[in-house]
Amino acid sequence: MRHLISPMDLSVQETEELLLLAERIMDAPKDFSHLCDGKKLATLFFEPSTRTRLSFEAAMLELGGQVLGFSSADSSSAAKGETVSDTARVVSCYADIIAMRHPIEGAAAAAAAKATVPVINAGDGGHHHPTQTLTDLLTIHRWKGGLRNLTVGLCGDLKYGRTVHSLIKAMCRYEGVRFLLVSPPELRVPDYIREDLTAGSFPFQEVERLEDAMDQVDILYMTRVQRERFASEADYLRLKDSYILDTAKMKLAKEDMIVLHPLPRVNEIAPQVDNDPRARYFEQALCGKYVRMALILKLLGLARPSLPEAAAPQPQIIPSLSCGNPKCITAVQPGLPHLFHPVEGNAHLCRCAYCDHTCGGK
Ligand code: NCD
């Protein structure tokens, strides 16, 4: 049984196969309309969502399956204190596959460890959002003709934006990709992402002004400042309008660049930019439905299997070590096994298997 918790859970080859399957579905959706007859998807959303939840549900319905679930933590037993592990185990009795969104980092990994059906991470706090990444990759694939040799500008809240973290992890695997990370100093990418970029010697540059990146990028990935993840409202208010993409800035960009945004947007893209042919964020939202159809088929074993891949490295239990991230699921669900991965190149450090936080003292 396979889960999708991080974008790295799919190999490059599997990711490419998935994108091709999504394009086949896009071209001939009727050929796929009964493949999930009799199957059920549970959408367990402990955090608000429009696109992700509805595109998952539309995906399952268009495959002939059915959907059940909840769209807020208040309407589930989480309000009574149930752990995500127990919820996942119970829902496995009622559905064939689970898509789960949760505000705590690592919650999807904790759910997957106890579920008896495939679990898809539909966003775990400020950590990962792998199905948004598949959506982004499909959009890039369609409008840029491939995933290699691209300069990707990511702009806005790179600290808390989980879509940014997942997209960087995934795009690092393609040749010739370069990142321009545009953010205020307070909202730079977290250490686990910067460490990966540095360790892999991936070309990246951190800049503060969007104008300094505009003429270089092939893809401009705008993001919302993630109000709900800030400890202080005053900090949010100070940073929320750090970047506004408008028609004047668009004039600085290449003619064939594309603008993406996972949406929802708040202020960071002026509505006039929607009329620019380079704005692709609404097509991106549509790609999300097709790629989720492909993913459901793959995880339910209904898509043609790929060649066997090398097994993913397994985390190690280290009872004496605890994750120091207060936003990690291990901080709110203390019974979870203390699972860690070694950090490449530093024998003294480990990385929490739930939230990726780097911890010392191995
Ligand atoms: C994103 C998310 O939830 O992380 N939205 C989405 O799923 N399309 C981005 C965001 O909320 O800013």
Side-chain angles (χ1 to χ4, degrees), residues 41-90:
L41 163 77
T43 51
L44 312 184
F45 276 60
F46 298 86
E47 250 194 356
S49 168
T50 301
R51 270 151 297 275
T52 305
R53 186 171 62 84
L54 295 185
S55 66
F56 259 118
E57 296 190 355
M60 192 46 148
L61 294 172
E62 290 193 24
L63 291 167
Q66 289 176 299
V67 295
L68 67 164
F70 51 81
S71 56
S72 84
D74 315 344
S75 59
S76 79
S77 280
K80 302 180 191 167
E82 187 170 56
T83 63
V84 290
S85 308
D86 282 357
T87 304
R89 190 161 178 172
V90 169

Side-chain angles (χ1 to χ4, degrees), residues 33-189:
S33 61
H34 289 290
L35 291 186
C36 282
D37 282 356
K39 300 282 184 199
K40 280 174 285 177
L41 163 77
T43 51
L44 312 184
F45 276 60
F46 298 86
E47 250 194 356
S49 168
T50 301
R51 270 151 297 275
T52 305
R53 186 171 62 84
L54 295 185
S55 66
F56 259 118
E57 296 190 355
M60 192 46 148
L61 294 172
E62 290 193 24
L63 291 167
Q66 289 176 299
V67 295
L68 67 164
F70 51 81
S71 56
S72 84
D74 315 344
S75 59
S76 79
S77 280
K80 302 180 191 167
E82 187 170 56
T83 63
V84 290
S85 308
D86 282 357
T87 304
R89 190 161 178 172
V90 169
V91 174
S92 300
C93 305
Y94 311 139
D96 302 284
I97 184 163
I98 294 172
M100 188 181 103
R101 170 171 289 189
H102 198 281
I104 308 276
E105 299 172 19
K114 283 287 150 71
T116 56
V117 300
V119 172
I120 302 170
N121 179 8
D124 60 330
H127 184 219
H128 273 306
H129 193 345
T131 64
Q132 181 62 46
T133 296
L134 292 173
T135 302
D136 304 337
L137 296 181
L138 179 60
T139 316
I140 296 169
H141 198 265
R142 272 187 94 72
W143 274 279
K144 297 302 293 177
L147 301 170
R148 293 179 177 80
N149 301 319
L150 294 167
T151 297
V152 186
L154 298 112
C155 174
D157 187 347
L158 311 187
K159 178 178 182 182
Y160 297 119
R162 54 194 173 195
T163 65
V164 168
H165 309 157
S166 293
L167 185 58
I168 292 177
K169 293 279 276 185
M171 293 272 325
C172 273
R173 302 192 290 183
Y174 298 93
E175 211 181 286
V177 169
R178 186 167 82 94
F179 298 103
L180 276 175
L181 306 177
V182 187
S183 75
E186 299 91 327
L187 296 181
R188 286 191 183 145
V189 288

